[in-house]
Amino acid sequence: MSEAAGVIHDIGYQRYAGPRLGRGYVFTSLYVHSLRTAFGLGRSAKAKIFPWFVLGVVFLTGVILAAVRTQVPDAGVTYTAFVDMMAWLVVFFVAVVAPELVSRDLRAGVLPLYFSRPLRRSDYPYAKLAALATAVWLLLGAPQIVMFLIAAFSVDNMSQFWTEVGDVGPGLFYAALWAAVFAGIGLLIASLTGKRAFAAGGIVAVFLMTTPVVGVLSVMPSQTMNELALLFSPSSLVFGVGVWLFGSPDGNDNIGPFGPLYLAVTIGLVAGCVALLQARYRKVASS
Amino acid sequence: MTALSDLTVSVDPGIVGLVGANGAGKSTLIKILLGLLAPTSGRVRVLDLDPTVDAAAVRARVGYMPEHESLSPDLSAAEFVTHLGRMSGLPRTAARERASEALRHVGLYEERYRQIGGYSTGMKQRVKLAQALVHDPDLLLLDEPTNGLDPAGRDAMLALIHRIGTEFGISVVVCSHLLGEVERICDSLIAIDGGRLLRSDNISAMTTTTDVLAVEVSEGIDELAARLDLLGLSVRRDGRLLLVPLEDDATYDRILSAVAELDLPLHRLDQRRHRVAELFATREVTHV
């Protein structure tokens, strides 16, 4: 071929001499790829419908709440209340997106291709978890930024502005707490099955089935029991932490002196999910 | 459960066939080579690295094509291979370029923007090969690369693997339960059964002196056998074929003139290596 008179038909195989980047780059690439997948970016139009619908709802709600706040400052519509309001929507978002991120890979058998590469076994679940938590946090946090900007442009003086800053900060932190809990539980359940419908059903079931438990416990005659009731469902658990840190939105929720316990259980729950997720992928990788 | 035991083998660069029946331990061996499983005892070296210690460094230089379906159906081949290139540490642009190159080498350049879900089995096998090539490995581990392919697809895949092993400068280990396939393209062969080594040798060393010519005629096979016998050739019947040891180039002429004298319709006359299966069978240990 090389002696052919100046005509190159096939340039042949080229060896790659460029850089091969390390763990940080690979992790970030997987994280960004997963975050894009969560919102259907780089995917078919069909995959975009649901995430963009949810985004539309949260932003619309955020704008409406911001408008209400400028007209009726005492309506009690705070940043944290917005997060509470969106809780169920986020449950469904996680139920749809978590299986997209992990069940799909299990189903298609892609994992051997990941684990035969330099990517560390533990980095795969961490990157997926970080991507899902970021997606949930953006869902709950970005509308708060919009609310904040609307409020910030309608303040009369600097002290009101700083009040707003003082309100949105905890709101974003509260959103991060939700994101960690929802992503942890959602991803753990989704990692157990390659069937996306089962995974989605399982995630909704965990949040749905635990809610009546909270309802029953909160009407028990024991006051201590009532104060601990919110511990028994993931969403009410985070809500309980919110009550402890920011006060009850309508003054009817009482967690007594157990605030630190709520926070400890929340952190323990997230840590447990991460540990189980890692154990799950150790098993997958060696099977 | 012991999948592999007492297996000591070392492999030179080139194309190596790893042959064994299903369950012989081929996939377990590959997982150990990739550092995904740690051997309970013994020592492994891949490209002068120890996968139990330096798994990431080994995996950066090895390309792996798994046996089973392992592709995201909702992505295009270009996106999928690019993403996996980045997972091997290639920068974004390099990953995209090399993905296109790898897909071109496996013959999917035109179709690379179509969703993998719509690909045929043969195309999917080639995407699997492309993702193993995208990061320019020094060693390719191919687990049953011809799985599910029709005869033409098998030939194309084997030709491609042969080309990778000879022209690309990449060493290849091909796992298969089909001995006849790997012997066509491999330089050396490792046969394992029940996790134990049956035999490891260089194919040419095993077969150079035992090449045979296969003659097929559509009628008169007995007459031809008798005639060749008269000419002093030791003829062996194998179904509808006559197998004649290839002594020198004159053997061809003697067979051809015998066929011509008898006026028989000749279907084919080709050189084939002594079947490696028979070489293993003489050891009377294999169930391959």
Side-chain angles (χ1 to χ4, degrees), chain A residues 1 9-22 25-27 29-30 32-33 42-44 100 104-105 107-110 112-121 285-287, chain B residues 31 34 36-37 56 59-60 62 64 66 69-75 79-80 83-84 86-92 94 98 101 104-105 115 131 133-138 163 168-170:
Chain A
M1 202 181 302
H9 297 287
D10 183 355
I11 55 169
Y13 184 75
Q14 306 283 307
R15 298 303 303 232
Y16 175 72
R20 292 170 193 267
L21 304 171
Y25 168 81
V26 173
F27 183 89
S29 298
L30 182 58
V32 171
H33 183 262
R43 307 263 317 277
S44 65
E100 286 292 328
R104 197 178 262 286
D105 282 354
R107 174 78 182 230
V110 184
L113 301 186
Y114 281 108
F115 295 138
S116 62
R117 293 186 141 73
L119 174 78
R120 286 199 201 180
R121 212 155 25 184
S286 58
S287 65
Chain B
K31 286 197 179 112
L34 284 169
L36 294 175
L37 282 179
R59 288 187 221 135
V62 174
Y64 170 50
E69 183 96 328
S70 55
L71 306 170
S72 292
D74 59 325
L75 294 179
E79 287 173 292
F80 185 71
H83 175 59
L84 287 169
R86 300 184 70 190
M87 291 299 102
S88 284
L90 300 190
R92 184 191 292 269
R98 285 213 49 100
E101 275 298 283
R104 182 171 71 82
H105 284 298
Q115 285 201 345
Q131 66 78 29
L133 271 179
V134 65
H135 53 293
D136 186 28
D138 296 317
R163 209 178 139 223
F168 291 14
I170 298 172

Side-chain angles (χ1 to χ4, degrees), chain A:
Chain A
M1 202 181 302
S2 53
E3 62 271 10
V7 184
I8 300 171
H9 297 287
D10 183 355
I11 55 169
Y13 184 75
Q14 306 283 307
R15 298 303 303 232
Y16 175 72
R20 292 170 193 267
L21 304 171
R23 184 185 179 191
Y25 168 81
V26 173
F27 183 89
T28 314
S29 298
L30 182 58
Y31 166 77
V32 171
H33 183 262
S34 304
L35 187 57
R36 288 171 52 87
T37 305
F39 291 109
L41 298 173
R43 307 263 317 277
S44 65
K46 213 175 77 185
K48 291 187 178 69
I49 297 174
F50 181 76
W52 287 91
F53 166 75
V54 173
L55 275 180
V57 171
V58 293
F59 274 106
L60 194 64
T61 312
V63 170
I64 291 172
L65 289 185
V68 170
R69 291 176 76 226
T70 54
Q71 300 306 313
V72 195
D74 302 325
V77 192
T78 58
Y79 293 102
T80 51
F82 166 79
V83 175
D84 291 333
M85 239 179 264
M86 291 297 121
W88 277 103
L89 196 61
V90 171
V91 170
F92 286 112
F93 179 77
V94 169
V96 170
V97 170
E100 286 292 328
L101 291 182
V102 290
S103 305
R104 197 178 262 286
D105 282 354
L106 278 170
R107 174 78 182 230
V110 184
L111 290 172
L113 301 186
Y114 281 108
F115 295 138
S116 62
R117 293 186 141 73
L119 174 78
R120 286 199 201 180
R121 212 155 25 184
S122 56
D123 280 358
Y124 176 86
Y126 280 138
K128 293 283 180 182
L129 186 64
L132 182 57
T134 309
V136 173
W137 186 75
L138 283 177
L139 211 57
L140 294 173
Q144 293 188 52
I145 303 289
V146 173
M147 287 169 70
F148 169 75
L149 288 177
I150 292 175
F153 280 110
S154 53
V155 290
D156 303 323
N157 53 51
M158 277 314 276
S159 84
Q160 274 186 15
F161 175 79
W162 288 116
T163 311
E164 284 297 329
V165 173
D167 284 347
V168 76
L172 293 176
F173 169 76
Y174 191 43
L177 210 58
W178 278 97
V181 171
F182 277 59
I185 295 174
L187 211 62
L188 177 62
I189 296 170
S191 74
L192 298 177
T193 171
K195 295 197 170 64
R196 278 182 292 157
F198 283 6
I203 293 166
V204 173
V206 164
F207 288 99
L208 262 186
M209 311 271 269
T210 50
T211 307
V213 179
V214 175
V216 170
L217 290 177
S218 59
V219 295
M220 297 276 273
S222 154
Q223 199 206 333
T224 313
M225 197 56 90
N226 297 348
E227 288 169 355
L228 291 174
L230 294 178
L231 282 176
F232 291 89
S233 170
S235 40
S236 66
L237 171 69
V238 188
F239 179 70
V241 178
V243 170
W244 176 51
L245 293 176
F246 316 119
S248 174
D250 55 5
N252 293 333
D253 307 287
N254 187 12
I255 58 164
F258 298 113
L261 178 67
Y262 273 85
L263 184 62
V265 171
T266 305
I267 293 169
L269 181 66
V270 174
C273 285
V274 171
L276 287 172
L277 206 55
Q278 288 294 346
R280 167 72 182 145
Y281 277 96
R282 264 196 299 280
K283 186 165 166 282
V284 173
S286 58
S287 65

Side-chain angles (χ1 to χ4, degrees), chain B residues 12 25 50 75 117 168 184 242 268 283:
Chain B
D12 296 323
D50 185 345
L75 294 179
F168 291 14
R184 279 165 52 189
L242 290 178
R268 69 173 183 158
R283 312 254 302 182

